[in-house]
Amino acid sequence: MNAPQTVTPAASDLSLDNVAAVVGIGQSDWRADYKSVREGGKPTDSYGYGAVSFRRALEDAGIQKSDVDGLIVGSPTSFERASELYGVTPRWGLQADSSQAIVAAMMAIKAGFCEVVALVYGNDQRSAKVQYGGPQAMGGGANLSYVYHAPFGLTSQGALYAMMQRRHMELTGATEADLGQVAVGQRAWAGHNPAAIMKDRPLSLDDYLSSPYIAEPLHLHDYCLINDGGVALIIMEKSRARRQGRKPVTIKTAFRYDLHGGSTTLRPRLMDFYHTGHKVVSEKVYNAVGFGPRDVDAVLVYDSFSCHIPFALEGFGFCGIGESGAFMRETGIGPGGKLPVNTHGGHLSESYMQGWAHQTEAVRQLRGEAGLNVPNCRNIQYISDVVGRVYSIIYGVD
Amino acid sequence: MAGPRLYSPFDKTMWESVAEGKMKIQRCEECGTYRYPPGACCPNCLSTEMQWEEISGTGKVLSWITYHKQYLPAYPAPTTVVAAMLDEGEILITNIDHAETKDLAVDRPIRVIYGDHPDGYRIPRFTLADGPAS
């Protein structure tokens, strides 16, 4: 009897797994620019921060600008104007947030639209005095929850997360000191990161607990920084990336799931902590790579506010639902802890680059070039769940 | 009257009902699904046919926050905002007298009362339905 022929499932040809790799990274001088802006300066605009970062990423990758045939820009800048100013004539490109930018680069490379994609983000949010609260808050056009409740007294994105955090504490018994593990842990990581804005500003749990509330139960240190800056990455098809000088960092897999039902009145936040999306995405990415949360060497979580971390740790299975308070306290998420989280300091202590600097930190850790390297780092997981759009990306080295 | 910012053509009817002290929200005429805030279609069946129904005004506390610094001109600190699940199954987010904060707890019954916004319009607010905790 003939053995059945091995048939390659059609789906495998559609996979974006292991198609692309990061070969270059760059960023602007966040610390110097933070100081300058606080003193009333305006070092440059969003395009300028992008340009500084783009040039450094090209140098890091060892390629010329003319090698770039795909361009993705961050949401603060126009794709067309960036193409003009940066002197890039792309065969393909778009404007995207950090997670979607990585996924879009994978798609474009897989589809053959382009081979070398530059991802360039620049944001002058601090010097431009961008407002994240009030009836005219940034993002309110896309996310009604940011602005809708102002007549009733609720404003700012921080308050929306505070509302989640209060309910989480009431339902699970987690304490403010448990949540403080995030701010304290990330500040300790930042202490090792020469690029981190808060590098020289140590933070103890007592400091955290005695800091003022902004929207109780969230304290000052639960909020991200607001600073000017830029980040850039160069992504290539993987076999071409191997022929470049630098050690490529493979984008092993990525997935997304959105939760927008009832989002204006915070239903997916308060009733679910976005766990439905976490569950779908975690199953997909862990199946794709063949390992689970216990095998991840470090996790990088989009942290506009500290409480993103406990919700994501629960939803992705790093601990049980409702157990993140004890988990963070007992396992440790800072330097020396068993689960390194936001090893660059994150948005809270390094730089608020809207997830872009989390991607470059993944590359640094996997190259062994981070401020403080996680030992034997082979796999890094990125998680983002901003306004109910859950993403995860797993990076690795062969 | 000076009013709140309107985000859709449907907001006006809701705010007029609030001004009368009888807040109404939309309900799909075809499948009966409530929706808040106001919008053009039913998230369940996409029907654009709807009617306005007065809310029961009762519900349960989901969560709350307290501002210790003033951000909005109408709300000097300290001020407390509550998210509650109305009996209709829709979430309403609005403020409560700050003095009631200490008695808030998840699932405590709450009811809607009406108050004046300094900009010259009325808003729905919350109060604890069963009075302060003993």
Side-chain angles (χ1 to χ4, degrees):
Chain A
M1 194 176 148
N2 293 331
Q5 278 193 315
T6 303
V7 178
T8 304
S12 68
D13 190 46
L14 300 176
S15 171
L16 294 173
D17 296 350
N18 302 304
V19 160
V22 183
V23 296
I25 55 174
Q27 67 201 32
S28 62
D29 302 306
W30 302 323
R31 285 170 61 89
D33 292 336
Y34 186 75
K35 186 165 182 287
S36 167
V37 171
R38 289 199 65 159
E39 289 164 355
K42 176 86 184 174
T44 182
D45 66 5
S46 295
Y47 295 93
Y49 293 119
V52 169
S53 311
F54 184 18
R55 191 181 217 184
R56 290 174 180 173
L58 289 167
E59 286 166 12
D60 184 50
I63 63 169
Q64 303 297 310
K65 181 155 69 77
S66 54
D67 294 326
V68 170
D69 61 0
L71 177 66
I72 302 177
V73 301
S75 23
T77 49
S78 141
F79 170 74
E80 289 78 6
R81 178 65 176 145
S83 299
E84 177 189 356
L85 259 179
Y86 299 158
V88 174
T89 309
R91 290 200 282 154
W92 175 89
L94 47 69
Q95 182 194 53
D97 64 34
S98 52
S99 301
Q100 185 60 27
I102 301 290
V103 173
M106 295 159 73
M107 290 175 171
I109 289 168
K110 173 83 178 185
F113 277 78
C114 50
E115 293 178 10
V116 181
V117 189
L119 289 73
V120 185
Y121 168 82
N123 194 340
D124 64 354
Q125 56 192 339
R126 176 121 192 172
S127 60
K129 297 182 169 59
V130 172
Q131 294 296 309
Y132 290 95
Q136 308 298 331
M138 158 72 87
N143 299 295
L144 201 51
S145 60
Y146 290 178
V147 292
Y148 186 76
H149 308 289
F152 310 94
L154 184 71
T155 184
S156 93
Q157 298 179 34
L160 309 187
Y161 285 97
M163 199 70 92
M164 290 175 83
Q165 177 61 20
R166 166 68 71 198
R167 184 164 167 85
H168 189 262
M169 288 164 65
E170 296 292 318
L171 295 179
T172 70
T175 65
E176 291 187 7
D178 291 337
L179 184 63
Q181 298 293 325
V182 176
V184 171
Q186 291 189 196
R187 185 62 60 87
W189 284 114
H192 298 278
N193 176 357
I197 288 169
M198 291 295 170
K199 177 180 181 294
D200 304 321
R201 303 271 297 275
L203 182 75
S204 70
L205 189 57
D206 285 343
D207 295 336
Y208 168 83
L209 290 169
S210 60
S211 70
Y213 287 119
I214 305 298
E216 185 184 351
L218 294 187
H219 290 265
L220 172 68
H221 297 295
D222 293 310
Y223 282 61
C224 67
L225 299 163
I226 300 288
N227 62 286
D228 283 18
V231 176
L233 301 97
I234 308 293
I235 295 179
M236 276 184 196
E237 190 278 319
K238 197 179 166 186
S239 60
R240 180 166 172 178
R242 281 207 192 92
R243 298 194 294 273
Q244 290 295 315
R246 305 275 344 223
K247 177 180 178 182
V249 168
T250 303
I251 308 165
K252 299 182 88 156
T253 195
F255 205 62
R256 164 178 168 177
Y257 190 83
D258 280 38
L259 298 164
H260 301 301
S263 61
T264 301
T265 54
L266 315 184
R267 184 182 295 268
R269 297 174 185 254
L270 298 176
M271 307 313 288
D272 192 36
F273 302 99
Y274 295 140
H275 288 335
T276 301
H278 297 155
K279 187 166 189 298
V280 171
V281 173
S282 64
E283 284 174 2
K284 184 79 179 178
V285 297
Y286 292 141
N287 280 336
V289 295
F291 56 77
R294 285 170 194 278
D295 306 302
V296 171
D297 296 310
V299 58
L300 306 174
V301 183
Y302 189 106
D303 56 328
S304 42
F305 303 94
S306 61
C307 54
H308 278 285
I309 281 84
F311 304 153
L313 294 180
E314 291 182 12
F316 278 80
F318 290 89
C319 62
I321 299 292
E323 295 173 2
S324 58
F327 177 83
M328 295 193 298
R329 195 174 60 237
E330 292 161 13
T331 301
I333 57 175
K338 287 184 191 146
L339 179 67
V341 175
N342 286 344
T343 51
H344 49 335
H347 292 152
L348 303 182
S349 287
E350 187 204 41
S351 179
Y352 179 45
M353 294 287 101
Q354 299 184 313
W356 292 83
H358 292 61
Q359 317 309 317
T360 49
E361 172 66 6
V363 173
R364 280 201 185 88
Q365 284 291 352
L366 291 163
R367 286 176 172 179
E369 296 174 357
L372 183 58
N373 292 308
V374 172
N376 306 315
C377 190
R378 312 289 301 169
N379 295 291
I380 297 248
Q381 182 172 16
Y382 172 69
I383 296 170
S384 162
D385 59 9
V386 181
V387 211
R389 189 182 296 178
V390 181
Y391 273 101
S392 187
I393 302 168
I394 296 180
Y395 293 92
V397 282
D398 297 332
Chain B
M1 88 175 181
R5 182 176 161 189
L6 305 182
Y7 294 96
S8 83
F10 308 96
D11 288 31
K12 191 165 172 283
T13 305
M14 183 189 78
W15 285 108
E16 284 170 354
S17 72
V18 169
E20 293 166 7
K22 293 176 178 180
M23 181 177 181
K24 292 177 180 172
I25 63 173
Q26 291 166 295
R27 188 172 194 183
C28 177
E29 208 158 272
E30 291 188 40
C31 75
T33 303
Y34 290 100
R35 62 180 181 265
Y36 174 77
C41 68
C42 173
N44 181 50
C45 73
L46 295 178
S47 170
T48 54
E49 300 298 318
M50 54 83 189
Q51 54 203 8
W52 290 91
E53 271 193 24
E54 185 181 344
I55 58 170
S56 63
T58 52
K60 286 181 176 175
V61 171
L62 293 175
S63 192
W64 66 96
I65 63 144
T66 300
Y67 289 102
H68 293 272
K69 190 177 149 189
Q70 182 169 359
Y71 290 97
L72 296 167
Y75 293 96
T79 183
T80 296
V81 180
V82 173
M85 181 66 78
L86 298 176
D87 291 346
E88 286 79 4
E90 288 298 303
I91 297 171
L92 178 66
I93 298 173
T94 185
N95 60 79
I96 192 167
D97 191 312
H98 179 69
E100 292 188 87
T101 308
K102 63 184 187 321
D103 296 315
L104 287 168
V106 167
D107 286 341
R108 274 206 80 171
I110 210 158
R111 67 183 167 85
V112 171
I113 55 174
Y114 293 87
D116 295 319
H117 191 285
D119 287 355
Y121 57 91
R122 297 186 87 189
I123 55 162
R125 305 185 67 215
F126 288 128
T127 190
L128 288 167
D130 52 1
S134 53

Coordinates of all heavy atoms in Angstrom, one line a residue, chain B residues 57-62 82-87 96 100 103-112 126-133:
Chain B
G57 N -32.7 54.1 35.3 CA -31.9 54.9 36.2 C -31.3 54.1 37.4 O -30.7 54.7 38.3
T58 N -31.4 52.8 37.3 CA -30.8 52.0 38.4 C -29.7 51.1 37.8 O -29.8 50.7 36.7 CB -31.9 51.2 39.2 OG1 -32.6 50.5 38.2 CG2 -32.8 52.1 40.0
G59 N -28.8 50.8 38.6 CA -27.7 49.9 38.2 C -26.7 49.6 39.3 O -27.1 49.8 40.5
K60 N -25.6 49.0 38.9 CA -24.6 48.6 40.0 C -23.2 49.1 39.6 O -22.8 49.2 38.5 CB -24.6 47.1 40.0 CG -25.8 46.5 40.7 CD -25.6 45.0 40.7 CE -26.8 44.4 41.5 NZ -26.8 42.9 41.5
V61 N -22.5 49.4 40.7 CA -21.1 50.0 40.5 C -20.2 49.0 39.9 O -20.1 47.8 40.4 CB -20.6 50.4 41.9 CG1 -19.1 50.8 41.8 CG2 -21.4 51.6 42.5
L62 N -19.4 49.4 38.9 CA -18.4 48.6 38.3 C -17.0 49.0 38.8 O -16.2 48.2 39.2 CB -18.4 48.7 36.8 CG -19.6 48.1 36.0 CD1 -19.4 48.4 34.5 CD2 -19.6 46.6 36.2
V82 N -17.7 57.5 38.5 CA -18.1 56.1 38.7 C -18.5 55.5 37.4 O -19.2 56.2 36.6 CB -19.3 56.0 39.7 CG1 -19.9 54.6 39.8 CG2 -18.9 56.5 41.1
A83 N -18.1 54.3 37.1 CA -18.7 53.5 36.0 C -19.7 52.5 36.6 O -19.4 51.8 37.5 CB -17.6 52.8 35.3
A84 N -20.9 52.6 36.0 CA -21.9 51.7 36.5 C -22.6 50.9 35.4 O -22.8 51.4 34.3 CB -23.0 52.4 37.3
M85 N -23.0 49.7 35.7 CA -23.8 48.9 34.7 C -25.2 49.2 35.0 O -25.8 48.8 36.1 CB -23.5 47.4 34.9 CG -24.2 46.5 33.9 SD -23.7 46.7 32.2 CE -22.1 45.8 32.2
L86 N -25.9 49.8 34.0 CA -27.3 50.1 34.2 C -28.1 48.8 34.1 O -27.6 47.8 33.4 CB -27.8 51.1 33.1 CG -27.2 52.5 33.2 CD1 -27.6 53.3 32.0 CD2 -27.5 53.2 34.5
D87 N -29.3 48.8 34.6 CA -30.1 47.6 34.5 C -30.4 47.2 33.0 O -30.7 46.1 32.7 CB -31.4 47.8 35.2 CG -31.2 47.8 36.7 OD1 -30.1 47.4 37.2 OD2 -32.1 48.2 37.5
I96 N -20.2 61.3 41.0 CA -20.9 61.1 42.2 C -20.4 62.1 43.2 O -19.3 62.6 43.1 CB -20.7 59.6 42.7 CG1 -21.7 59.3 43.8 CG2 -19.3 59.4 43.2 CD1 -21.8 57.8 44.1
E100 N -19.5 60.5 48.9 CA -20.0 59.2 48.8 C -18.9 58.2 48.4 O -19.1 56.9 48.5 CB -21.2 59.0 47.8 CG -22.4 59.8 48.3 CD -23.6 59.5 47.4 OE1 -24.3 58.5 47.6 OE2 -23.8 60.3 46.5
D103 N -18.0 55.0 50.5 CA -19.0 54.0 50.6 C -19.1 53.2 49.3 O -20.0 52.3 49.2 CB -20.4 54.6 51.0 CG -20.3 55.2 52.3 OD1 -19.8 54.5 53.3 OD2 -20.8 56.3 52.5
L104 N -18.3 53.5 48.3 CA -18.4 52.8 47.0 C -17.8 51.4 47.1 O -16.8 51.1 47.9 CB -17.6 53.5 45.9 CG -18.3 54.8 45.4 CD1 -17.4 55.6 44.6 CD2 -19.6 54.5 44.7
A105 N -18.4 50.4 46.5 CA -17.9 49.1 46.4 C -18.5 48.5 45.1 O -19.5 48.9 44.6 CB -18.4 48.3 47.6
V106 N -17.7 47.5 44.5 CA -18.2 46.8 43.3 C -19.5 46.2 43.6 O -19.7 45.6 44.7 CB -17.1 45.8 42.9 CG1 -17.7 44.8 41.8 CG2 -15.9 46.5 42.3
D107 N -20.4 46.4 42.7 CA -21.8 45.8 42.7 C -22.8 46.5 43.7 O -23.9 46.1 43.8 CB -21.8 44.3 43.1 CG -21.3 43.5 41.9 OD1 -21.3 44.0 40.8 OD2 -20.9 42.3 42.1
R108 N -22.3 47.6 44.3 CA -23.3 48.4 45.1 C -24.3 49.0 44.2 O -24.0 49.6 43.2 CB -22.6 49.5 45.9 CG -22.1 49.0 47.3 CD -22.0 50.0 48.3 NE -23.3 50.3 48.9 CZ -23.4 51.1 49.9 NH1 -22.4 51.7 50.5 NH2 -24.6 51.3 50.4
P109 N -25.6 48.9 44.6 CA -26.7 49.6 43.8 C -26.5 51.1 43.8 O -26.1 51.7 44.7 CB -28.0 49.2 44.6 CG -27.6 48.1 45.5 CD -26.1 48.2 45.8
I110 N -26.8 51.6 42.6 CA -26.6 53.0 42.4 C -27.8 53.5 41.6 O -28.5 52.7 40.9 CB -25.3 53.2 41.6 CG1 -24.6 54.5 41.9 CG2 -25.4 53.0 40.1 CD1 -23.2 54.5 41.6
R111 N -28.1 54.8 41.7 CA -29.2 55.3 40.8 C -28.8 56.7 40.3 O -28.0 57.4 40.8 CB -30.5 55.4 41.6 CG -30.6 56.4 42.7 CD -32.0 56.2 43.4 NE -31.9 57.0 44.7 CZ -32.1 58.3 44.8 NH1 -32.5 59.0 43.7 NH2 -32.0 58.9 46.0
V112 N -29.5 57.0 39.2 CA -29.2 58.3 38.5 C -30.0 59.4 39.1 O -31.2 59.2 39.4 CB -29.6 58.1 37.0 CG1 -29.5 59.5 36.2 CG2 -28.6 57.1 36.3
F126 N -24.7 60.1 39.6 CA -25.1 59.0 40.4 C -25.2 59.3 41.9 O -24.5 60.3 42.4 CB -24.0 57.9 40.3 CG -23.9 57.1 39.0 CD1 -22.7 57.0 38.3 CD2 -25.1 56.6 38.4 CE1 -22.7 56.4 37.1 CE2 -25.0 55.9 37.2 CZ -23.8 55.8 36.5
T127 N -26.0 58.5 42.6 CA -25.9 58.5 44.0 C -26.1 57.1 44.5 O -26.7 56.2 43.7 CB -27.0 59.4 44.6 OG1 -26.8 59.5 46.0 CG2 -28.4 58.9 44.4
L128 N -25.6 56.7 45.7 CA -25.8 55.3 46.1 C -27.3 55.1 46.4 O -28.0 55.9 47.0 CB -25.0 55.1 47.4 CG -23.5 55.0 47.2 CD1 -22.8 55.1 48.5 CD2 -23.1 53.7 46.5
A129 N -27.8 54.0 45.9 CA -29.3 53.8 45.9 C -29.7 53.4 47.3 O -30.9 53.6 47.7 CB -29.7 52.7 44.9
D130 N -28.8 52.8 48.1 CA -29.2 52.3 49.4 C -28.6 53.1 50.5 O -28.5 52.7 51.7 CB -28.8 50.8 49.6 CG -27.4 50.6 49.2 OD1 -26.7 51.6 48.9 OD2 -26.9 49.4 49.3
G131 N -28.2 54.4 50.2 CA -27.7 55.3 51.2 C -26.3 54.8 51.7 O -25.8 53.8 51.2
P132 N -25.7 55.6 52.6 CA -24.3 55.3 53.0 C -24.3 54.0 53.7 O -25.2 53.5 54.3 CB -24.0 56.5 53.9 CG -25.2 57.2 54.2 CD -26.2 56.8 53.2
A133 N -23.1 53.3 53.7 CA -22.9 52.1 54.4 C -22.9 52.3 55.9 O -22.5 53.4 56.3 CB -21.5 51.5 54.0

